Amino acid sequence: MIAIVVGAAYFEKLAIDYGWIGEGARVLQGAVFGAALIAGGLQFARRGYAAYGQVMAGGGGAILYLSTYAAFTLYSLIGRPAAFILMVAITAVIGWLADRQRSQGLALFAVGGGFATPFLLPGTTDAQVTLFTYDTILIGGTAVLAHRREWPFVNLVSYLSTLLTVAAWADRFYAPSAYLRTELYLTLYCAMFLYIARECRRTAGAAGQLVWMMLATAPVAYYLASLAILTDHQSALLVWLVMLMLAGAVAASRIGAGVGLGVWASVAGPLLVWCSTVAAQGSRREGLVAIVAVYVIALLAVLERTVWRDEPREPGAADIAWLHVNPLGLYAAAYLLLYRLSVATTGHVAVGFAVWNAAIAAALWTRRPMLAVNFLSVALTLAAIATALLLDGAAVTAGWAVEGALVIVLAIRQDLSWMRVAGVALFGVAVAQTIALLASAPPTSQVVLLNPRAACAALVIALSYLLAWFVRRAGGAASRAFGIGTALLTAQLVTLVALTSEIDAYWAIRDGRVERQLMLSVTWALYGTTLVIVGLVRRYPPIRYFAIGVLGLTIAKVFFVDMAELDRIYRVGSIIALGVLLLVTSFVYTRWSTPIDDRNGRV
């Protein structure tokens, strides 16, 4: 049949070259020949030669396409509307034959011919509505035929042909003024192919699954094309993002939170980029409305899945991740819109957002405690951000320390490892900030111990002791011992640094270099001795080991710093004082760490 079709086309060429017959007769003979092949093919199919007859009928359809093409393009015997109607009729006939003969080959030929018709009848003017409406009808007809006969590959041809048609039209005719109707048609195509993909997934067999995976790329193609179209139309882009999030919420309810989270990410990304542009500064109101809308839709989707259903589901990993990234990501978008206007405003927004999430946590605390804890952790994170934006210096560090300690307590009570890690990280940052603050140069007006730096250090020390006490009360796993030791040693470290800082600040203002070194050595030695005694009395080795480290540092300082820098009398005093304290410490250590047999006095 391929040979016959090629031969017929070659015969038409010879007839043109030598003028054997007129133009109308050439077209007519081709149409008659094509119709005859179709009729002959049907006869063979009726007599039991189905494949043979179907191939013959397909060849006849190809000759009919060729004749119509020649009548319009080569001879101008008919106009474009008539040629278009004829090709549509040929497509319909071949599709009908495919359905009747149960021939997937004829169906593929019909679908390919239908989508090829606009390419065979090119024009110089834009006919987008006609072209895209025609493709819509063709997609629908193909889906009906594929569903009736379970021919999934027919839908794949329809999908690929649609992509090619839209790309070819856009390359020639697209203009920014056509963005709205183009977007509407693209949305319709995406919805149709998603429905078709769903039907293919239900089809048994590898073919249906393969076609489903191919059609599942339709949302990606739609998403990329929509971004390209709407980038220059700010209001339309924001509306589209909100509508996309609404579709994602519906999908999350029906399919799963993973789909909703994926759609949220595809919405939040462009929204963050848009908020960071200069153009967004002139559309703050519209941007904030879009941010709030996306946040509310996503929040409602999470609550619908985990709270409001008759049988609410336990939150999975995707639900928890969505619950966290939704408020934090969209707050970041709001920050990008507002920070040029006022950083304080962004801080107040963070406070409001934190209070809102805390209120949700309070409402869910008895019904859904797991969700409540996660909402509360979001509130604490936003509170930490607000602290950094609205406060400065020691106040920021103090706020972070309190929030970190609170997160750790909540995590231990709910037995949430990830939350405990987050709390430890935040508290660790506060400790590091405290040490950095104590190491910075003090103001000349600083009062010893009665200043913001010392107050911040005292708060961190107190919180460390409280955490150690709480972890001890919680009891349980061996990891508790590590937590208690870490908290207590943190308190000792910050205490030692705070004492050192206050001594440095006091003598720096008074220019007492010699007195400073002597006082530091004595203070470190006394502190180390005190910790040794406490560690022995409480029978807690970590404190003793820390104390030994402090004493070792003191010894190194006396012999390598004080002996080189202090005057003779101060040098002697420093060494003697250290020696006395070390003797006392050694005696106490020996007395408390060695058991004595009271009956005979022997060890």
Side-chain angles (χ1 to χ4, degrees):
M1 286 312 305
I2 293 174
I4 290 174
V5 172
V6 173
Y10 188 65
F11 176 78
E12 291 290 333
K13 182 179 184 304
L14 291 178
I16 294 171
D17 294 340
Y18 292 99
W20 292 341
I21 54 178
E23 296 173 347
R26 298 168 197 163
V27 172
L28 183 60
Q29 72 176 7
V32 171
F33 185 44
L37 286 175
I38 292 175
L42 291 176
Q43 289 296 325
F44 278 108
R46 290 192 190 98
R47 295 180 181 181
Y49 302 100
Y52 186 86
Q54 291 165 10
V55 172
M56 185 178 291
I63 292 176
L64 289 177
Y65 275 120
L66 181 63
S67 299
T68 305
Y69 174 78
F72 169 72
T73 304
L74 301 179
Y75 308 135
S76 301
L77 296 176
I78 56 176
R80 181 178 293 103
F84 184 78
I85 292 172
L86 285 174
M87 287 195 174
V88 171
I90 296 168
T91 300
V93 169
I94 299 175
W96 173 75
L97 290 174
D99 182 54
R100 184 174 179 181
Q101 298 296 320
R102 299 178 182 273
S103 173
Q104 186 171 192
L106 281 178
L108 292 171
F109 181 74
V111 174
F115 278 100
T117 295
F119 293 93
L120 295 173
L121 306 173
T124 57
T125 58
D126 181 16
Q128 181 189 14
V129 175
T130 302
L131 174 63
F132 283 19
T133 302
Y134 168 73
D135 280 358
T136 301
I137 296 172
L138 201 54
I139 294 168
T142 302
V144 172
L145 181 60
H147 180 72
R148 275 173 53 83
R149 300 303 182 189
E150 293 188 357
W151 294 334
F153 282 114
V154 178
N155 286 317
L156 182 58
V157 173
S158 172
Y159 173 57
L160 297 176
S161 299
T162 301
L163 292 178
L164 180 61
T165 300
V166 172
W169 171 85
D171 183 60
R172 290 191 63 189
F173 297 112
Y174 178 75
S177 58
Y179 80 93
L180 181 57
R181 62 174 178 268
T182 303
E183 186 59 34
L184 291 175
Y185 274 111
L186 291 180
T187 304
L188 176 60
Y189 290 163
C190 183
M192 293 180 73
F193 282 116
L194 280 177
Y195 177 80
I196 295 170
R198 176 188 172 196
E199 294 300 313
C200 289
R201 190 177 186 182
R202 295 177 177 177
T203 303
Q209 299 304 309
L210 176 62
V211 173
W212 169 75
M213 288 190 291
M214 294 293 293
L215 295 185
T217 62
V220 178
Y222 166 74
Y223 175 75
L224 297 176
S226 298
L227 284 182
I229 291 171
L230 299 175
T231 297
D232 296 330
H233 308 277
Q234 295 190 37
S235 298
L237 175 63
L238 295 176
V239 171
W240 176 75
L241 290 174
V242 172
M243 298 304 295
L244 185 61
M245 187 66 258
L246 186 60
V250 174
S253 177
R254 294 179 175 271
I255 301 175
V259 175
L261 180 59
V263 175
W264 180 90
S266 66
V267 169
L271 191 56
L272 283 167
V273 173
W274 179 83
C275 290
S276 64
T277 62
V278 176
Q281 301 306 312
S283 304
R284 287 194 182 95
R285 181 178 301 175
E286 294 86 346
L288 290 174
V289 169
I291 290 170
V292 172
V294 172
Y295 166 75
V296 170
I297 292 171
L299 174 63
L300 294 177
V302 173
L303 294 178
E304 187 275 334
R305 283 179 48 81
T306 58
V307 178
W308 293 335
R309 291 186 177 182
D310 294 336
E311 295 182 0
R313 303 178 181 180
E314 286 299 320
D319 294 294
I320 297 300
W322 199 3
L323 185 154
H324 282 264
V325 300
N326 181 43
L328 297 178
L330 293 175
Y331 171 74
Y335 175 85
L336 291 173
L337 270 183
L338 298 174
Y339 82 96
R340 290 187 179 93
L341 186 66
S342 171
V343 174
T345 301
T346 63
H348 294 138
V349 171
V351 170
F353 224 179
V355 171
W356 165 251
N357 280 274
I360 297 176
L364 297 175
W365 196 261
T366 56
R367 296 174 58 193
R368 307 290 284 173
M370 180 63 71
L371 282 176
V373 169
N374 281 277
F375 275 108
L376 185 57
S377 69
V378 171
L380 292 172
T381 303
L382 289 165
I385 295 172
T387 301
L389 293 173
L390 295 176
L391 304 176
D392 56 12
V396 175
T397 303
W400 286 357
V402 172
E403 291 164 21
L406 183 57
V407 171
I408 293 172
V409 170
L410 287 172
I412 293 174
R413 292 195 60 175
Q414 299 296 326
D415 195 22
L416 297 174
S417 299
W418 64 266
M419 193 175 183
R420 184 164 60 249
V421 171
V424 170
L426 182 58
F427 192 78
V429 170
V431 171
Q433 289 277 44
T434 301
I435 293 174
L437 193 65
L438 292 172
S440 62
T444 55
S445 59
Q446 177 171 299
V447 178
V448 178
L449 298 179
L450 301 177
N451 58 78
R453 303 194 313 171
C456 179
L459 176 63
V460 171
I461 294 167
L463 289 173
S464 298
Y465 281 119
L466 286 173
L467 286 174
W469 173 79
F470 182 83
V471 172
R472 182 184 178 188
R473 284 194 59 192
S479 60
R480 306 295 191 197
F482 177 78
I484 295 172
T486 302
L488 290 177
L489 292 180
T490 299
Q492 310 318 312
L493 176 63
V494 176
T495 301
L496 184 62
V497 174
L499 291 174
T500 303
S501 174
E502 291 301 300
I503 293 172
D504 282 341
Y506 179 82
W507 290 112
I509 296 172
R510 291 160 178 79
D511 195 22
R513 183 182 60 84
V514 174
E515 294 84 350
R516 168 179 170 273
Q517 294 297 340
L518 180 59
M519 193 171 183
L520 280 177
S521 299
V522 173
T523 301
W524 288 3
L526 285 172
Y527 188 68
T529 300
T530 303
L531 288 183
V532 167
I533 295 173
V534 171
L536 290 170
V537 172
R538 304 298 299 179
R539 299 187 180 278
Y540 193 65
I543 293 296
R544 297 204 305 267
Y545 299 151
F546 182 85
I548 291 172
V550 173
L551 291 174
L553 180 64
T554 305
I555 293 171
K557 179 181 181 299
V558 169
F559 283 98
F560 294 103
V561 177
D562 293 357
M563 291 187 66
E565 294 187 5
L566 299 183
D567 293 335
R568 284 175 295 181
I569 186 62
Y570 291 109
R571 185 185 309 162
V572 172
S574 175
I575 296 174
I576 291 176
L578 175 64
V580 171
L581 287 173
L582 288 177
L583 283 174
V584 172
T585 303
S586 300
F587 173 76
V588 172
Y589 198 93
T590 302
R591 175 66 180 84
W592 283 86
S593 62
T594 305
I596 302 296
D597 188 337
D598 291 333
R599 290 174 301 174
N600 51 28
R602 293 180 300 175
V603 175

